[in-house]
Amino acid sequence: MIGGMPFAIALNRGKHKTVVICRDVPRIGWSKLNQLAMNDRLESWKEIAAYLNRNVRTVQRWEQARGLPVQRIPGGKRDLILARKSELDSWWENSKRQLEPEEPRQPAERTRVWPDLRHFLWIAAALASAFPVVWFLVPRDPPAELARKAIPLTSYEGRELEPSFSPDGGRVAFSWNGEGGANFDIYAKLASAEKPLRLTSDPRVDINPVWSPDGRNIAFLREQGIGKAEVMLVRATGGVERKITEVDTLGRSRCSLLAWSRDGKRLIVVHRPSPAEPYGLFSLDPDRPILSRVTDPPAGGRGDSGIAVSPDGRMVAFSRMLAGPGVGDLYLLQLKENILPKAPPVRLTFWNRITVGAAWSFDGRYLIVSSNDTLWRVAVDAPHKADEIQSLGGDLSQPASAPHSRLAFVSRFLDANIWSASVRDGSVHRVIASTRNEDFPQYSPDGHRILYTSDRTGLPGLWLSKRDGTEAKELGPVGDLMPGSPRWSPDGKRVVFGCRFSEWGDLCIMDAAGGRPIRLTQGQAHHAVPFWSHDGKWIYFGSNRGGEAQVWRMPAAGGEEVRITKRGGWAPMESADGRMVYYVKDSGIHSSLWSVPVAGGEEHQVLDSVRARAFTLTRNGIYYVPQPGPDGATTLRFFDFDSRRHQVVAQVSKSGAGLSVSPDGQTVLFTRIDREGSDLMMAERFR
C-alpha cells in the first residue's frame, strides 16, 4: 500500500450511485483526488459526443469502426460508459486526417490531470470487476431509460405504418398494405391482442388514421392520385365511410398529415390551395368542411406537415420544411379557440435536417421527434437540450403517444441492391448486392467500373466494383462524412459527392483511387446531389441557401457559386451539349422534371412525374422512372427528344434513387428495393 490511504471513486449508475473502495494511491487528500478524477472523466455517450463536438451515433460508430478509446464497465442493467479526455485527444490527433480533412475539431476546455493519477479510474474499474469491493447503494430518481424497452406491437408480413392510439390507450389504429402487399387499408387492434380488425377495403390507398377524442370514429386520408386525397371518416368498429372533403396534400410520407383538435370539434390537415404554394396546416369542421388556414409558411419551401396537437389542445407542433424532402425543423404554435393561431409559430429546433414527425408526452412537457431516422426527446421549455433516445434503436419514425406513458413508433428495415436493365430486350438482372443497402450507381466514363454508395460495413461509404459487380472495394474511409449521390468527373480520375461535416450538407471531391476528400462548400445551408459538367470545369448542385431549394454551379477547382434557377430546383444534370440544365422540382417522391438554359432564360416542364432523382440524360433523350403505384411497381421509360414519345424499357418495381446509362448505351443501372418492411413497436411507462 502506497501512502497507506485508501480512496473511493463514485460512479453514477442510473438508479444507484456506486462507490468503489480501492487502495495503493498516493496520499493527496480526498477533495483533490475527486477533483482530478472529474477533470479527466467522461461518464456517458452524451458527454463523449459533446466533448468531440459530434452526435452520439457518430461517436458510437467511431468506437466500433475506428477504435475510439471507450471503456465499458459491466454491471447493472447497462454497461457503464467511461472515457478519458486525454486519451480521446490523443486518438483524435492520430485519426483526424481521415475523419475530418477540412474541419478541425474545436476541443472542449480541459484541465491537466496529475500524471501519477491518470490511470486511477481504470484501475478502480478493473478492481470493481475482478475483486471484492464495497458497494454503497444510494437511491436516486428512476431514469427514463429504464422504461425505454420496446416490444413489437405488430409483426405482420408487409408494412405497418402510422400508429394512432385510442383516447384510453388500449387500442391502436394503423395503415397496413396486407400480407400480399397489394394496397394500404386502415386497421385497428387491441394493444394487447394479435389479430387486427380491418376497417377499410377500398382499392385506393388509405393512410394516416387518427382516433377521435371520444373514441368513436377514425379519420383518415384516401389518396386520389398524385398529391390529392379525400378526408374520410369511419366508425372505430367499422361500417359505412363518410367523405368529408378533398385536399391537395403530400400523400404517403413519414409524417402525420391529419389530426383532431382535443375537443373533437375540428380536424387539422396538411393542404395547399394551389400547386404554386407551400403546404400549410388548415382546420375544418367535419360537418361543415370549409378549410380555414392555420399556418402560413414562407414561399419557396415545401411547407408544413407532421401535425401533433398538445394534450391540453392549446398548442400544435409541426415540421416546417424549407428544402428537400423532410429537411426542416420543429415549430410550435399557440392556439385560440376553433384552432386559430394565437401568435406566430416559434421555432424549437435548429437542426436543418430531416425532421418528419412528433408526438407529445402525456404531461405535455416534451415532444418525441423523428429526425434522421432516430427518435429524440425535446423539452418544450428547453428545446436546445434535445436527447437522442438510443435504447430504442435506429431507423425509427412516426411516434405516437397515449395515456399511461405509452409510446408507439414505426421500425423499418430495408435491403436495396443494384440492378441493370437491357435497353434491347428489357431483361433485368442483379449486379451488386449485400444484406444492407446499395444505392445511386454510376458507370465510369469508360464503362469498366461502377461507383455507388453502400452501408455494408455498418457505415455509409463510397464503393467501386467492376462492371459485373465483382471486386468490390471501399473508396477510402469516408463513412463518417455520410457520403451520398456520387458522380464521376468526365475523365474518370475524381469523384464528387455529398458529405457532412456538421448538421449542414456539403460537397466533397476526392481522387477515384482514394485519398483525402477536399471540402468544396461552406456555410449554413444544405448543398447536395452534385453533377459534373461535361467539360469538367463546373459542378452543378442543389442548395437551400436563403431558405429555398435552387440549382447552383461552381468551378470544379473552387470559387464563386452562381445561381441557375429562379423558381426552385434540385438534383441538377447538364445536357450533353452543355446548353441546358435539367432538374427536379418539389424534391420528393411526387416530383416533376424541368429544364432551363445555362445562360439564362425561361424554365420549361419536361416530365410530369419522376421518381425522386431517378433520371439520367443521353444525347437523344431521358431515361427515367415515374411515380410508382400503390404496390410500388413502376417502369423504366425513355423519353425521345425528337419524337416526344415515351417508351417503356423495363419493369423496375420498387426503384430507388439514381440511374446511369452505360457509355455504349446498352444497359441502364438502377436501384431496386428487394426486401422492405416495417413493424409497429411499443414502449410502456415511457417518460
Side-chain angles (χ1 to χ4, degrees), residues 7-13 17-20 30 32-51 69-71 73 80-89 108-114 117-125 140:
F7 72 92
I9 303 174
L11 305 178
N12 295 330
R13 297 298 314 276
K17 180 180 289 184
T18 301
V19 180
V20 183
W30 290 96
K32 180 66 174 178
L33 179 64
N34 287 328
Q35 178 184 355
L36 293 173
M38 294 303 296
N39 284 339
D40 198 45
R41 188 176 74 198
L42 301 170
E43 293 187 5
S44 68
W45 286 116
K46 184 178 178 182
E47 289 185 5
I48 296 169
Y51 185 73
V70 174
Q71 299 291 325
I73 310 301
L80 177 65
I81 302 300
L82 296 173
R84 275 178 37 203
K85 297 177 184 177
S86 52
E87 289 188 350
L88 294 180
D89 289 343
E109 182 179 356
R110 64 186 183 93
T111 305
R112 180 179 178 85
V113 179
W114 189 21
L117 293 178
R118 301 188 79 164
H119 298 282
F120 85 95
L121 185 58
W122 311 125
I123 295 171
R140 303 174 62 189

Side-chain angles (χ1 to χ4, degrees), residues 152-163 174-178 184 254 395-398 409-414 675-681:
L153 190 58
T154 65
S155 56
Y156 313 136
E157 181 183 352
R159 299 172 62 194
E160 304 95 73
L161 301 170
E162 303 159 334
F174 56 97
S175 61
W176 177 32
N177 64 347
F184 279 96
R254 291 189 292 172
D395 213 348
L396 310 178
S397 62
Q398 298 177 346
F409 53 91
V410 173
S411 176
R412 184 186 182 208
F413 57 88
L414 183 73
R675 192 174 69 96
E676 179 184 23
S678 58
D679 293 322
L680 305 185
M681 305 294 290

Side-chain angles (χ1 to χ4, degrees), residues 84-289:
R84 275 178 37 203
K85 297 177 184 177
S86 52
E87 289 188 350
L88 294 180
D89 289 343
S90 176
W91 175 88
W92 179 265
E93 290 301 318
N94 293 329
S95 307
K96 65 181 181 180
R97 284 184 175 273
Q98 293 181 343
L99 296 173
E100 292 215 349
E102 294 295 315
E103 183 182 57
R105 175 177 67 96
Q106 299 298 322
E109 182 179 356
R110 64 186 183 93
T111 305
R112 180 179 178 85
V113 179
W114 189 21
D116 290 341
L117 293 178
R118 301 188 79 164
H119 298 282
F120 85 95
L121 185 58
W122 311 125
I123 295 171
L127 289 172
S129 60
F131 298 98
V133 296
V134 179
W135 303 85
F136 293 87
L137 304 180
V138 182
R140 303 174 62 189
D141 293 336
E145 289 289 341
L146 290 178
R148 294 180 181 176
K149 301 293 184 181
I151 60 173
L153 190 58
T154 65
S155 56
Y156 313 136
E157 181 183 352
R159 299 172 62 194
E160 304 95 73
L161 301 170
E162 303 159 334
S164 173
F165 279 110
S166 61
D168 62 3
R171 294 171 291 171
V172 63
F174 56 97
S175 61
W176 177 32
N177 64 347
E179 294 180 352
N183 187 63
F184 279 96
D185 290 295
I186 305 302
Y187 294 77
K189 68 182 289 288
L190 291 171
S192 58
E194 171 65 17
K195 187 176 180 180
L197 171 66
R198 185 172 183 172
L199 301 180
T200 68
S201 56
D202 192 274
R204 292 167 291 184
V205 171
D206 295 338
I207 59 172
N208 217 146
V210 287
W211 223 298
S212 64
D214 61 10
R216 297 179 180 179
N217 300 303
I218 293 174
F220 63 95
L221 297 177
R222 174 164 290 161
E223 291 191 352
Q224 299 297 308
I226 297 177
K228 305 290 184 181
E230 295 175 344
V231 181
M232 305 291 295
L233 197 67
V234 67
R235 285 285 187 178
T237 54
V240 179
E241 303 165 1
R242 177 165 70 92
K243 175 182 172 181
I244 298 175
T245 191
E246 296 182 2
V247 292
D248 188 333
T249 192
L250 283 166
R252 276 171 290 170
S253 65
R254 291 189 292 172
C255 58
S256 175
L257 307 174
L258 190 64
W260 287 91
S261 63
R262 287 307 176 198
D263 60 10
K265 295 181 179 180
R266 300 186 71 83
L267 284 162
I268 305 175
V269 65
V270 173
H271 170 68
R272 61 179 179 182
S274 72
E277 299 179 62
Y279 294 101
L281 305 189
F282 288 75
S283 74
L284 69 152
D285 183 334
D287 296 322
R288 301 176 59 189

